[in-house]
């Protein structure tokens, strides 16, 4: 759905998918238009190879007149940074009741940032119970990768639990299972000491593409933000530690798969109620 929307908006979309059948079905049964490029491989390997290639290119400087420098002069960026990098990345890798743990360590995000434009944005889907080790790990790792100390604006998070008209929405539980999207942004052009956050405009008709679902989700998105305290389950007023250094995922310290085990089984139980057993037996 997201890829098709970006194609309709005129963006040059690259799709990276490890399973060729997923792309085949997206084209054949979900009306996905032909994208700019398709890469049927593991995303971690693809990002690493592209990052390595970009690092080997000599920088060719040219003026970027859209952003003035501190002294009023034009800011310069390299041709390899602006012409071959991505301004928007959608990281949607939920499968089998969880997310692939090798696509979430700090090392992966650092290489991904290396193939993004100086103000590039990544949208990361994560579904799971808030207030759990897995939720804390995702939060603190992404905030570390895209924090102001690492040339970023940090991340903001939104859930997709829509309100039903005329029905009172029950309060969110401390261990609620939520489907969330993290929006994280680079900000390499910030001046020293300048702190910014990820900003959004209100959605309009041009964003909905005549879709009721897009209207329902996008028109109310900014009202569904999830706070750090909700996600991590840690509260500063009770003296809980909020620095989260011990939660950051790395290639050498990555227990995300283990932490998702119980919620993955729960997710499959839910899906067996949504679709009959025969569907999953064939799958």
């Amino acid at each position: 759905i997201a890829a098709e929307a970006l194609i309709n908006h005129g963006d040059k979309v690259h799709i990276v998918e490890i399973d060729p059948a997923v792309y085949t079905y997206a084209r054949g049964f979900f009306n996905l238009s032909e994208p700019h490029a398709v890469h049927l491989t593991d995303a971690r390997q693809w990002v690493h190879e592209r990052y390595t290639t970009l690092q080997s290119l000599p920088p060719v400087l040219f003026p970027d007149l859209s952003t003035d420098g501190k002294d009023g002069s034009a800011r310069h960026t390299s041709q390899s940074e602006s012409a071959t990098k991505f301004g928007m990345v959608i990281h949607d890798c939920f499968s089998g009741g969880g997310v692939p743990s090798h696509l979430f360590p700090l090392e992966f995000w650092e290489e991904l940032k290396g193939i993004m434009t100086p103000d590039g944005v990544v949208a990361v889907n994560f579904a799971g119970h808030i207030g759990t080790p897995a939720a804390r790990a995702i939060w603190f790792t992404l905030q570390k990768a895209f924090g102001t100390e690492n040339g970023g604006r940090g991340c903001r998070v939104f859930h997709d639990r829509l309100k039903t008209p005329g029905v009172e929405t029950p309060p969110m539980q401390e261990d609620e299972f939520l489907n969330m999207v993290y929006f994280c942004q680079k900000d390499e052009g910030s001046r020293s000491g300048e702190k910014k956050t990820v900003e959004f405009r209100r959605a309009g008709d041009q964003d909905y593409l005549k879709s009721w679902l897009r209207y329902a989700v996008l028109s109310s998105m900014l009202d569904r933000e999830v706070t750090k305290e909700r996600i991590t389950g840690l509260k500063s007023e009770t003296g809980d530690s909020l620095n989260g250094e011990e939660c950051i995922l790395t290639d050498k310290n990555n227990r995300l798969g283990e932490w998702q085990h119980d919620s993955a089984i729960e997710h499959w139980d839910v899906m067996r109620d949504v679709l009959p057993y025969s569907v999953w037996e064939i799958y």
Side-chain angles (χ1 to χ4, degrees):
I1 293 175
E4 180 66 19
L6 292 173
I7 292 172
N8 287 337
H9 282 298
D11 294 308
K12 292 183 177 180
V13 174
H14 289 244
I15 291 178
V16 183
E17 170 56 54
I18 194 171
D19 187 350
V22 171
Y23 177 69
T24 299
Y25 274 66
R27 292 277 283 147
F29 296 99
F30 291 90
N31 300 317
L32 174 67
S33 302
E34 185 174 359
H36 179 73
V38 180
H39 314 276
L40 298 177
T41 184
D42 176 67
R44 179 80 187 256
Q45 183 65 26
W46 186 82
V47 168
H48 175 71
E49 291 176 357
R50 190 172 184 90
Y51 171 80
T52 302
T53 298
L54 287 175
Q55 292 299 304
S56 67
L57 294 178
V60 179
L61 297 181
F62 67 95
D64 177 2
L65 301 180
S66 63
T67 306
D68 288 338
K70 186 175 181 180
D71 59 355
S73 60
R75 179 175 142 225
H76 287 70
T77 58
S78 72
Q79 187 175 23
S80 61
E81 286 178 347
S82 295
T84 62
K85 295 189 176 183
F86 296 93
M88 178 72 186
V89 175
I90 297 177
H91 182 290
D92 189 5
C93 306
F94 188 82
S95 178
V99 296
S101 57
H102 73 297
L103 294 180
F104 280 83
L106 195 60
E107 292 87 347
F108 169 75
W109 299 117
E110 289 301 321
E111 290 196 338
L112 182 66
K113 286 161 55 182
I115 68 172
M116 293 168 61
T117 57
D119 61 349
V121 176
V122 59
V124 184
N125 177 230
F126 175 72
H129 287 280
I130 57 176
T132 61
R136 293 188 194 110
I138 300 295
W139 168 271
F140 285 112
T141 302
L142 285 171
Q143 293 291 0
K144 175 71 173 181
F146 291 90
T148 54
E149 69 278 8
N150 287 323
R153 293 191 175 201
C155 306
R156 292 175 65 184
V157 190
F158 302 86
H159 67 78
D160 69 351
R161 193 174 69 168
L162 300 176
K163 293 182 179 180
T164 302
V167 178
E168 184 177 352
T169 303
M172 188 179 296
Q173 303 298 312
E174 290 187 357
D175 63 345
E176 185 103 9
F177 189 96
L178 285 181
N179 186 38
M180 298 171 284
V181 178
Y182 285 70
F183 292 92
C184 309
Q185 186 174 12
K186 289 178 60 177
D187 194 22
E188 293 180 358
S190 289
R191 297 167 184 171
S192 179
E194 189 177 19
K195 186 174 183 179
K196 297 181 180 179
T197 60
V198 181
E199 298 178 354
F200 298 87
R201 60 168 174 80
R202 284 284 177 181
D205 290 341
Q206 73 275 15
D207 304 303
Y208 307 142
L209 298 174
K210 299 180 180 180
S211 165
W212 182 90
L213 177 60
R214 288 194 183 95
Y215 169 77
V217 173
L218 296 178
S219 64
S220 61
M221 189 190 83
L222 297 182
D223 302 321
R224 290 181 276 108
E225 188 160 4
V226 191
T227 65
K228 173 183 182 178
E229 288 73 21
R230 283 280 190 190
I231 295 171
T232 64
L234 304 175
K235 300 177 177 62
S236 56
E237 62 269 17
T238 62
D240 291 338
S241 173
L242 288 174
N243 58 30
E245 288 294 328
E246 69 280 3
C247 301
I248 295 174
L249 299 170
T250 65
D251 284 335
K252 292 183 178 180
N253 180 33
N254 188 351
R255 297 173 60 192
L256 185 58
E258 172 191 340
W259 289 332
Q260 294 181 100
H261 179 268
D262 290 343
S263 63
I265 294 177
E266 179 183 352
H267 179 267
W268 275 103
D269 286 340
V270 171
M271 294 307 296
R272 284 185 178 273
D273 288 335
V274 175
L275 295 173
Y277 280 92
S278 58
V279 173
W280 298 110
E281 289 168 357
I282 294 171
Y283 172 80

